Amino acid sequence: MPGTELTWGIAGYGDIVRRRALPGLLSLSQRVAVVWGRDAARARALADEHGVPLGTSDYAELLRAVDVVYVATPVAAHVPLAAAAVRAGLPVLVEKPLGLFPLTPAPYGGESGTEPYGGALGTEPYGGAFGTGSYGGASARGERPAAFRARPADGLRAELAAPGAHVGVAYYRRLAPAVVRLAGLLAGRAVHRVTLSFRAPFDPAPGDPRAWRTDPAESGGGVLADIGSHRLDLLVRLLGEPVTVDAVLGARFPRGAERAARVELSWPSGARASLDAEWAPAPPYDRMAVTFDGGRVELDPLDAGRIRGVVDGAPIDEHLPPAANPHAPLLADFARSVRYGTAPACPFTDAALVDDLIAAAYRAAAPPPSAAPFPFAGGPSAGDPSRGSGPPAGDPSGGNPPAGAPTAENPFPEEIR
């Protein structure tokens, strides 16, 4: 990537850094100067493994040494760390989701935004009844995402959205060739219905380094915040901001995160979408189907790069394989955006909207009376947790995940961060 070499600092040392970000940056001839983490020994070990000069637990030391910051920590730290980078005048690429929605309880202490691991981004529990099967619980209809934008994190949100702040978020599927092609097929056409369905095994033991993803205090939520955020971003990319969000959540992990979620959304144009996401031991799948004026297409599996369907009466079957490391195009895009002052593939405003949708879905899934103080159009009403078409039945409460290695059907497994 001639002419766009930058010096990067990486906040985090999990699998997403080891398997994607560090290899991706080095393959692009970018310089990585610092790895930061709460555990200085782990940060130094990862830095030494990849020939990075410095591993540290001092975030200020990272900020002094780099041109650009990449944040890939547990979700609770995304916004405080990104805001600290922006205050230092640095561009920052943040992993998803941002974590602007409530996280409870605060895992790191401190006043929000006063230090890099700045504490509570919200203090209210999600609440809600979580059934014992895949989709037990209650729902509320007609939740409007705008009702969830006034939160304790708003001060940090304003910093990240301020003029001059250069913030991107790691929704890498926006750059996948098949998604770019899909956006082109939909240009100028009315979209009627989008369905997204995901299921994969994920049930980490208490000592598993991935177990933080089952604790909303660190992860912000379960499968909806983790897996669902990527798919909500695709809807934002293709359709813009919806006007209503309905949701039903499934059984919880012991630490509180949901194992299954169903979300229904609608747009002013009349378009509707459904998202079903589930961590369960039954056979996995990951697919997307779109019905629109003049056709219907499917991406199945979503990340395989194959588009099949019918457009204007003609069959379509195209194979547009993604990059072997899907973070490499994302990192290259962000480096170009920094160098030339252009917008990144996923700007902060779009990612913040995804967080708003996640917050609205969690609120919609909570039965009245709600702990959340914000009203929403239409008021809460009890929902039927069996409505809609979800993934095939499966018991989300058991089974252990495989090692997470890529397969032909699932080339980019999500369980790596």
Side-chain angles (χ1 to χ4, degrees):
M1 211 166 47
T4 58
E5 293 83 0
L6 298 166
T7 299
W8 292 68
I10 295 179
Y13 37 51
D15 280 350
I16 198 75
V17 172
R18 292 176 177 274
R19 291 173 54 177
R20 291 194 185 173
L22 264 170
L25 287 169
L26 296 175
S27 74
L28 296 166
S29 300
Q30 300 292 289
R31 179 175 182 267
V32 181
V34 186
V35 173
W36 173 90
R38 287 174 293 171
D39 184 328
R42 288 184 64 188
R44 283 194 297 269
L46 181 60
D48 291 345
E49 180 184 339
H50 290 272
V52 175
L54 178 64
T56 182
S57 59
D58 183 345
Y59 193 57
E61 189 173 17
L62 177 149
L63 296 177
R64 289 192 297 268
V66 303
D67 301 320
V68 58
V69 178
Y70 167 65
V71 175
T73 60
V75 176
H78 284 179
V79 170
L81 290 171
V86 167
R87 287 185 212 115
L90 297 173
V92 57
L93 177 63
V94 192
E95 271 301 327
K96 44 58 60 184
L98 283 165
L100 292 166
F101 45 88
L103 303 170
T104 179
Y108 298 115
E111 294 296 325
S112 181
T114 61
E115 53 184 320
Y117 260 61
L121 303 183
T123 58
E124 297 148 357
Y126 295 139
F130 293 73
T132 57
S134 294
Y135 290 100
S139 69
R141 299 192 60 82
E143 184 62 41
R144 294 184 179 271
F148 283 81
R149 289 184 179 148
R151 288 293 185 183
D154 268 5
L156 300 184
R157 181 177 185 144
E159 289 187 60
L160 297 178
H166 195 98
V167 182
V169 182
Y171 285 114
Y172 59 83
R173 282 184 177 86
R174 289 183 168 221
L175 295 168
V179 172
V180 174
R181 172 64 170 146
L182 175 61
L185 289 172
L186 299 180
R189 299 175 186 264
V191 174
H192 304 306
R193 183 78 183 177
V194 182
T195 60
L196 294 128
S197 302
F198 172 92
R199 183 171 64 199
F202 182 63
D203 192 15
D208 191 307
R210 303 169 300 171
W212 67 267
R213 295 168 64 193
T214 71
D215 182 355
E218 292 191 77
S219 64
V223 70
L224 174 58
D226 193 320
I227 302 300
S229 60
H230 270 294
R231 287 141 188 87
L232 290 172
D233 178 67
L234 289 179
L235 295 174
V236 168
R237 166 69 181 85
L238 296 171
L239 298 173
E241 182 173 358
V243 291
T244 64
V245 179
D246 303 326
V248 180
L249 303 181
R252 290 181 179 183
F253 288 95
R255 295 170 74 177
E258 77 282 355
R259 297 174 182 266
R262 175 182 297 147
V263 183
E264 293 276 346
L265 309 98
S266 69
W267 280 260
S269 65
R272 299 189 64 84
S274 62
L275 164 62
D276 288 285
E278 185 178 21
W279 279 326
Y285 51 78
D286 188 7
R287 48 185 175 250
M288 178 179 187
V290 186
T291 303
F292 52 92
D293 279 353
R296 183 181 188 276
V297 296
E298 293 182 347
L299 283 71
D300 185 5
L302 175 61
D303 289 327
R306 177 145 258 153
I307 302 179
R308 297 184 179 96
V310 176
V311 179
D312 296 331
I316 180 173
D317 187 347
E318 299 178 6
H319 188 211
L320 303 165
N325 178 350
H327 270 60
L330 174 81
L331 294 162
D333 170 84
F334 194 71
R336 282 191 297 269
S337 77
V338 171
R339 180 63 71 189
Y340 301 116
T342 56
C346 182
F348 172 79
T349 50
D350 283 8
L353 175 55
V354 173
D355 273 39
D356 292 335
L357 299 180
I358 293 169
Y362 282 134
R363 172 60 180 81
S370 170
F374 299 98
F376 59 91
S381 62
D384 175 7
S386 66
R387 77 186 193 278
S389 58
D395 175 11
S397 64
N400 291 315
T407 66
E409 290 299 302
N410 187 18
F412 304 130
E414 298 285 351
E415 289 75 26
I416 67 170
R417 202 170 56 138

